[in-house]
Amino acid sequence: MTEVGKARKRKEDARLLTGRTQWTDNLRQPGMLYVTFLRSPMAHARITGVDVSAARDLPGVVAAFSGQDFAAEQGSLPCAWPVSEDIVIPDHPPMAVSEVRYVGEAVACVVATDRYLAADALEAIEVDYEPLPAVLDMNEALTPDSPKVHEAGNQAFTVKITSGDVEAAFRDAPVVIDRTYIQQRLIPSAMEPRSVLATTDGDSFTLWSATQIPHVLRVMLAVVTGIPEHKIRVIAPDVGGGFGSKLQVTAEEVLCLLLTKRLGKPVKWTESRSEGNLTVHHGRDQIQHLRLAAEADGRIRGLQVELLADMGAYLMLVTPGVPLLGASMFNGIYKMDAYEFGCTGVFTTKMPTDAYRGAGRPEATYGIERLMDELAAELRLDPLEVRRRNWIKHEEFPFTTISGLTYDSGNYEAATDKAMALFGYDKLRAEQADRRDRGDPVQLGIGVSTFTEMCGLAPSRMLGAANYGAGGWEHGSVRMLPTGKVEVVTGSSPHGQGHVTAWSQITSDALGVPFEDITVLHGDTAIAPRGMDTYGSRSLTVGGIAVLKACDKVKDKARKLASHLLECSPDDLDFAEGVFKVKGTDSQKSIQELAYAAFTAHDLPEGVEARLDSDATFDPENYSFPHGTHLCAVEVDTETGMAKIRSYVAVDDVGKVVNPLIVEGQIHGGIAQGVAQALYEEAVYDTEGNLLTTTMADYLLPTAMDLPDFVTDRTETPATSNPLGAKGVGEAGTIASTPAVVNAIVDALRPRGVHDIQMPCTPERIWRALR
């Protein structure tokens, strides 16, 4: 049996689960110091004075600094995605110097011999603030009389995209659905808090960070601080989750580097959970005004999307690009004649937003899937029937959508049919009708989400066309050791996805080397010097393919050596299960034997190096487009407002599957996060701009007890954008599940006049909607 497709237990897990590993906060260096940051208690204020002298005099304190102390060298945190010509990108100092613009912004720091001494010393710092008005509501922020977050105003950018004749699509349309939906602000909650350790050796620096992007971080640290890139080494050791929250160049990373440069000693910072809620970039936070025009039979004519997207106080690494990642996805899997997308980015005095699992695509999928249910209700059609009348049929692929993307493969009919069978769709509809007829206080709702997404964020030419500040290629290297073992070096840096296992499976099949004889190296810019890192479900579809391409080059080198040693033409060799064999004979050489022969170099043909090692860079020509159908049954108690998921079925198509266990884990985790947005999570600010949800007592994360069992299955239509046929899976569950849950709740309550409930759909909100 080949390795690809096998449900291998992950190589990484024994070490990770038993703690025999290195998280950044585990690391120790001789003479290491600890830094803590004093953070603004005000959402908006001028800083009129900072006095750190009393803190400097406390026992164990080595140094204390204000933002002014670093003003000349700290630079501005980068925004790599200027999405429009009119975009406003304000300076973003890692430590505030003259003005604070959100609660939690760093204004001073203490460096001490002990983490707790450093934290205690913060109380001795005196900061004088001159309060300024908070700016919290996006609509109000765009009015002429609104206080300004930045001198240039509160509008960060505007983007407009039109395809087809929108006016004609809406003119005299038999059905027009007009809705406004709120994507609430979310706080990423990775298992491992952020942590940074910086050290120096003369004029060279090493920075360990719980980051998703060691390679991008290295480049940006050089740009921000002026330290030459070749003098910076960034290491992402084992990283305990990210979900986009560690796709960032953070203030703490820059400041730790500058502190170790100034003090000449190792400096470490690790956030507390409440500090993280304040200062990890937030996700989502959009107001969506959507209009859909349709024929009387349900066929979609046109779609208009107008977004207000909360940027927070600053534009971080990809902040303005996140809502635009959804621009091509609001049309979903549906055919239509015209499409218009508009987005305005708005500055507020809140923590900046940025990429969070799905990054723009969950928001878009939520919008179109909610609209499809509204269209079905308007026409008194089954929600799945409306979708069938509009989706791209399997025989129509490849299909160029109204937004300009070319979907290469898919079969929405097959995924939906399988999901309906597993779900017992017709039986549940019959039960729903019975409960309605009986006036049962506990009503049953059925939610549908038929989705696709663009992922494998990679095609460099497409990213360039979108004015993104980097490419999307990925790099891989394969090293054949003299003893026949293999080292794989990947530029894709994992934070829980199972790269070591999956890359071993791919390499094992490609080279015919046992799975156990392969190790995978990653996350260190000195060991894996080239890479574009991990986000956007790109690891397998870009990084894994780079490794596969490197394997092909290894085999090409080995073939030349084998033909020389076996005294035949390279064309006379067959390769299977790790062995080159002369056609029609018993003469053969294994790839392990050839690795040793290359190492000894005793008999190499002309032009062949003394190694089989090879590397490759892969840049696909298109995104990949996983899809699926998620169905959710929810029981809603109309007397208390309590909503309980009774059953959930997810049938996903992620192309060729390398490891089914990893796919299951990604789908389960993704569904959990999407359900959490639908029912539980919300970042809440008060009228003064204080974040009220700073602890897990206030910010509700579901546990396993709060979630149902998920029934999962797959269909498989291989991608054409890569030779493995794989599509991304990391974000699919999150993208699909939120509208499935909310559609189910609204479906349960629609006979009582409810057609929307703002997320999270808490018992109180449901109860109030009913009354």
Side-chain angles (χ1 to χ4, degrees):
M1 181 180 177
T2 60
E3 282 292 336
V4 170
K6 186 182 289 186
R8 280 277 191 182
K9 290 186 177 180
R10 302 198 319 177
K11 287 183 175 183
E12 304 93 316
D13 285 348
R15 176 172 50 82
L16 295 173
L17 294 173
T18 58
R20 293 182 288 108
T21 186
Q22 289 292 348
W23 312 106
T24 303
D25 194 41
N26 291 350
L27 300 172
R28 298 289 182 271
Q29 291 285 309
M32 187 170 73
L33 302 173
Y34 298 82
V35 61
T36 57
F37 294 98
L38 184 67
R39 302 191 179 275
S40 169
M42 307 192 75
H44 199 193
R46 290 189 185 91
I47 300 172
T48 58
V50 182
D51 185 354
V52 298
S53 58
R56 287 173 177 160
D57 295 335
L58 292 174
V61 173
V62 174
F65 301 102
S66 68
Q68 190 64 50
D69 294 321
F70 282 103
E73 59 183 311
Q74 69 177 343
S76 177
L77 294 176
C79 172
W81 205 340
V83 296
S84 68
E85 292 185 2
D86 70 343
I87 193 168
V88 175
I89 304 180
D91 284 342
H92 185 184
M95 199 179 324
V97 177
S98 59
E99 192 168 324
V100 292
R101 292 181 171 88
Y102 64 90
V103 171
E105 191 169 1
V107 295
C109 68
V110 170
V111 185
T113 56
D114 177 88
R115 178 179 179 180
Y116 301 101
L117 290 175
D120 290 343
L122 294 178
E123 296 182 10
I125 298 175
E126 295 184 4
V127 183
D128 294 325
Y129 296 101
E130 179 185 312
L132 295 169
V135 179
L136 303 171
D137 181 273
M138 284 190 278
N139 284 302
E140 291 180 6
L142 295 175
T143 62
D145 296 333
S146 173
K148 292 182 179 181
V149 180
H150 298 281
E151 189 56 38
N154 297 337
Q155 181 174 294
F157 65 87
T158 57
V159 169
K160 200 83 166 180
I161 300 168
T162 302
S163 180
D165 191 336
V166 177
E167 184 180 342
F170 278 84
R171 188 187 310 125
D172 301 324
V175 182
V176 175
I177 306 293
D178 191 321
R179 296 287 186 269
T180 298
Y181 298 128
I182 306 296
Q183 284 279 326
Q184 79 270 37
R185 180 174 281 245
L186 302 177
I187 302 175
S189 301
M191 185 178 293
E192 179 199 16
R194 291 179 300 144
S195 185
V196 183
L197 168 60
T199 66
T200 180
D201 180 12
D203 63 348
S204 296
F205 301 87
T206 299
L207 184 116
W208 288 266
S209 180
T211 180
Q212 298 174 218
I213 52 166
H215 299 91
V216 173
L217 178 58
R218 183 193 190 203
V219 173
M220 291 301 180
L221 287 173
V223 170
V224 171
T225 67
I227 298 171
E229 184 184 351
H230 68 293
K231 297 292 186 180
I232 301 174
R233 177 185 183 184
V234 174
I235 303 172
D238 287 316
V239 176
F243 314 116
S245 69
K246 296 170 184 173
L247 166 57
Q248 196 54 262
V249 179
T250 68
E252 295 83 7
E253 288 163 332
V254 172
L255 292 169
C256 282
L257 190 62
L258 295 177
L259 284 166
T260 199
K261 179 184 179 185
R262 183 171 294 199
L263 300 174
K265 291 187 176 182
V267 174
K268 180 194 276 189
W269 169 79
T270 301
E271 72 182 3
S272 66
R273 185 61 69 179
S274 57
E275 189 177 24
N277 278 20
L278 280 171
T279 61
V280 168
H281 71 244
H282 293 174
R284 313 287 192 251
D285 208 346
Q286 293 180 2
I287 300 172
Q288 305 175 328
H289 183 205
L290 310 176
R291 297 180 73 235
L292 183 143
E295 302 286 4
D297 64 359
R299 189 187 69 81
I300 301 172
R301 293 171 55 151
L303 176 65
Q304 288 181 305
V305 176
E306 192 62 44
L307 301 185
L308 291 183
D310 195 333
M311 303 289 98
Y314 299 99
L315 303 184
M316 298 190 77
L317 192 63
V318 295
T319 300
V322 169
L324 300 189
L325 282 171
S328 300
M329 286 285 99
F330 269 95
N331 50 274
I333 65 172
Y334 307 113
K335 296 176 285 189
M336 57 190 70
D337 304 322
Y339 173 58
E340 182 179 83
F341 173 89
C343 179
T344 300
V346 185
F347 289 118
T348 61
T349 53
K350 302 176 190 174
M351 180 66 205
T353 56
D354 209 301
Y356 178 57
R357 196 170 191 172
R361 286 101 77 211
E363 297 93 312
T365 300
Y366 183 85
I368 187 62
E369 288 303 295
R370 288 287 294 110
L371 282 183
M372 293 305 287
D373 263 34
E374 294 300 298
L375 177 59
E378 181 73 18
L379 297 175
R380 298 176 182 248
L381 290 171
D382 184 280
L384 280 170
E385 178 58 30
V386 165
R387 287 164 169 83
R388 285 192 183 95
R389 294 182 185 186
N390 285 284
W391 67 33
I392 304 157
K393 295 179 174 61
H394 70 274
E395 65 269 16
E396 295 177 299
F397 288 96
F399 187 91
T400 300
T401 71
I402 191 67
S403 63
L405 292 180
T406 299
Y407 296 174
D408 62 329
S409 67
N411 191 326
Y412 310 137
E413 302 98 311
T416 302
D417 289 346
K418 182 173 278 192
M420 290 178 69
L422 290 169
F423 191 63
Y425 188 84
D426 293 339
K427 185 176 180 180
L428 284 168
R429 282 292 184 201
E431 181 185 341
Q432 179 187 57
D434 178 62
R435 288 195 185 202
R436 288 178 177 175
D437 291 342
R438 289 188 286 106
D440 194 321
V442 178
Q443 287 291 299
L444 179 65
I446 297 169
V448 176
S449 176
T450 51
F451 83 104
T452 190
E453 59 152 326
M454 50 178 267
C455 66
L457 293 183
S460 295
R461 60 182 176 81
M462 291 187 181
L463 295 177
N467 212 30
Y468 181 64
W473 50 266
E474 194 48 83
H475 189 74
S477 300
V478 175
R479 303 199 291 237
M480 291 294 303
L481 304 182
T483 56
K485 312 303 182 186
V486 180
E487 289 178 337
V488 174
V489 182
T490 178
S492 180
S493 183
H495 46 279
Q497 295 92 335
H499 287 31
V500 173
T501 301
W503 278 217
S504 294
Q505 291 178 268
I506 291 169
T507 304
S508 178
D509 277 358
L511 299 181
V513 175
F515 173 82
E516 295 77 12
D517 289 351
I518 302 164
T519 189
V520 179
L521 308 175
H522 56 78
D524 183 339
T525 61
I527 294 172
R530 287 175 55 79
M532 288 303 300
D533 304 315
T534 300
Y535 41 86
S537 300
R538 68 189 303 274
S539 291
L540 175 60
T541 57
V542 190
I545 306 306
V547 170
L548 183 62
K549 295 280 189 181
C551 289
D552 291 340
K553 291 185 177 181
V554 169
K555 288 187 288 187
D556 290 342
K557 286 186 174 183
R559 182 179 291 274
K560 291 178 182 177
L561 180 54
S563 69
H564 172 73
L565 296 177
L566 295 171
E567 300 180 339
C568 69
S569 165
D571 295 336
D572 289 335
L573 291 171
D574 287 328
F575 180 77
E577 297 181 353
V579 176
F580 287 95
K581 188 173 182 179
V582 181
K583 296 176 182 177
T585 75
D586 293 330
S587 225
Q588 63 183 40
K589 289 282 184 183
S590 72
I591 200 164
Q592 287 95 337
E593 291 175 290
L594 295 167
Y596 188 74
F599 167 71
T600 61
H602 292 163
D603 185 13
L604 296 180
E606 188 72 26
V608 172
E609 299 177 315
R611 64 189 184 100
L612 300 182
D613 305 352
S614 298
D615 65 342
T617 300
F618 179 65
D619 194 345
E621 295 183 357
N622 196 5
Y623 302 109
S624 68
F625 299 96
H627 70 83
T629 296
H630 287 217
L631 301 174
C632 179
V634 174
E635 293 182 330
V636 182
D637 189 326
T638 59
E639 295 177 345
T640 66
M642 186 68 187
K644 181 180 179 181
I645 297 176
R646 185 170 113 180
S647 60
Y648 194 103
V649 168
V651 174
D652 288 273
D653 191 323
V654 297
K656 181 70 174 177
V657 171
V658 173
N659 187 317
L661 284 179
I662 291 176
V663 168
E664 287 293 300
Q666 290 290 331
I667 295 293
H668 276 232
I671 293 172
Q673 282 183 269
V675 170
Q677 178 175 7
L679 297 179
Y680 301 108
E681 296 186 40
E682 183 176 25
V684 179
Y685 285 85
D686 69 12
T687 55
E688 301 299 316
N690 297 299
L691 183 66
L692 301 180
T693 49
T694 57
T695 73
M696 286 188 172
D698 310 304
Y699 188 82
L700 186 56
L701 292 171
T703 68
M705 291 181 64
D706 302 305
L707 296 168
D709 290 334
F710 307 131
V711 176
T712 61
D713 208 331
R714 292 183 301 277
T715 56
E716 186 174 307
T717 52
T720 63
S721 55
N722 64 75
L724 195 60
K727 303 177 182 180
V729 69
E731 297 158 298
T734 303
I735 291 168
S737 56
T738 307
V741 175
V742 177
N743 276 342
I745 294 170
V746 174
D747 183 57
L749 304 179
R750 196 179 294 278
R752 303 189 180 212
V754 175
H755 63 77
D756 188 39
I757 296 171
Q758 186 177 326
M759 297 185 292
C761 301
T762 62
E764 180 187 1
R765 283 181 174 165
I766 293 172
W767 186 87
R768 290 187 183 280
L770 284 165
R771 283 150 183 83

